[in-house]
Amino acid sequence: MLGLDNIERVKPGGLELKDRLVAVNRVTKVTKGGRAFGFSAIVVVGNEDGVIGFGLGKSKEVASAIAKAVEDAKKNLVKVPVMNHTIPHQTSARYGGADIFLRPASHGTGLIAGGAVRAVLESAGIHDILSKSKGSSNPHNVVKATFKALLDIRRPEEIARMRGVSLSKVFNG
């Protein structure tokens, strides 16, 4: 999907997935017979418990473009670490011209994110986070940068195992 090594893929069977439409774009092809309109849609699906995916669909009608995007998103599901409705540590990522920064927040802070970033984080089940989107606001690149940032996150158990220390040592130093 984005060329990362530590991706934990998930099968869509048995999951209660909710889809969120991020953007619909009308595209025009000029032919000798006039203008031919089409639509492309980008959709994020998730179970609001750490499993998310995104997909792109193209069609002559909006409804079928969205349906195709949902099907594509269900084929690309991945697991991201969510702890106490936030992320374990801060991260940032860049995809194309979009630059995303994510920082964990304490309980009750809320989801401080806008547009495409919000759709991805809501689908993942993240309720308390601070985010900043810099650079391009193109929804396709913002969604991909957000996914890249979330997939760069490592679980505390994994870091403790790699360092050969206890889990409390990872958090408390």
Side-chain angles (χ1 to χ4, degrees), residues 59-83:
S59 179
K60 296 286 182 197
E61 294 95 31
V62 175
S64 59
I66 293 170
K68 286 181 182 181
V70 169
E71 288 305 308
D72 188 37
K74 287 180 181 176
K75 291 177 190 171
N76 297 313
L77 292 176
V78 292
K79 181 100 173 107
V80 296
V82 177
M83 292 176 51

Side-chain angles (χ1 to χ4, degrees), residues 48 82-87 105 107 125-129:
E48 297 181 354
V82 177
M83 292 176 51
N84 302 326
H85 300 292
T86 190
I87 55 177
H107 181 70
I126 297 171
H127 302 303
D128 300 304
I129 194 166

Side-chain angles (χ1 to χ4, degrees), residues 20-82:
R20 286 181 173 77
L21 181 64
V22 177
V24 176
N25 195 20
R26 190 180 82 172
V27 291
T28 309
K29 179 181 177 185
V30 180
T31 62
K32 70 178 182 182
R35 293 185 182 97
F37 294 106
F39 296 91
S40 70
I42 186 162
V43 171
V44 175
V45 298
N47 70 346
E48 297 181 354
D49 193 28
V51 175
I52 51 173
F54 73 91
L56 177 65
K58 297 178 181 181
S59 179
K60 296 286 182 197
E61 294 95 31
V62 175
S64 59
I66 293 170
K68 286 181 182 181
V70 169
E71 288 305 308
D72 188 37
K74 287 180 181 176
K75 291 177 190 171
N76 297 313
L77 292 176
V78 292
K79 181 100 173 107
V80 296
V82 177

Side-chain angles (χ1 to χ4, degrees), residues 45-151:
V45 298
N47 70 346
E48 297 181 354
D49 193 28
V51 175
I52 51 173
F54 73 91
L56 177 65
K58 297 178 181 181
S59 179
K60 296 286 182 197
E61 294 95 31
V62 175
S64 59
I66 293 170
K68 286 181 182 181
V70 169
E71 288 305 308
D72 188 37
K74 287 180 181 176
K75 291 177 190 171
N76 297 313
L77 292 176
V78 292
K79 181 100 173 107
V80 296
V82 177
M83 292 176 51
N84 302 326
H85 300 292
T86 190
I87 55 177
H89 60 85
Q90 76 180 30
T91 183
S92 62
R94 187 171 176 87
Y95 190 93
D99 205 351
I100 299 295
F101 174 75
L102 302 173
R103 175 180 280 167
S106 60
H107 181 70
T109 303
L111 186 59
I112 312 297
V117 180
R118 178 176 283 269
V120 174
L121 297 176
E122 282 177 347
S123 294
I126 297 171
H127 302 303
D128 300 304
I129 194 166
L130 304 168
S131 73
K132 181 65 185 164
S133 175
K134 296 174 276 200
S136 171
S137 60
N138 177 343
H140 295 272
N141 287 344
V142 171
V143 166
K144 290 174 184 175
T146 307
F147 263 78
K148 195 172 172 184
L150 288 173
L151 292 171

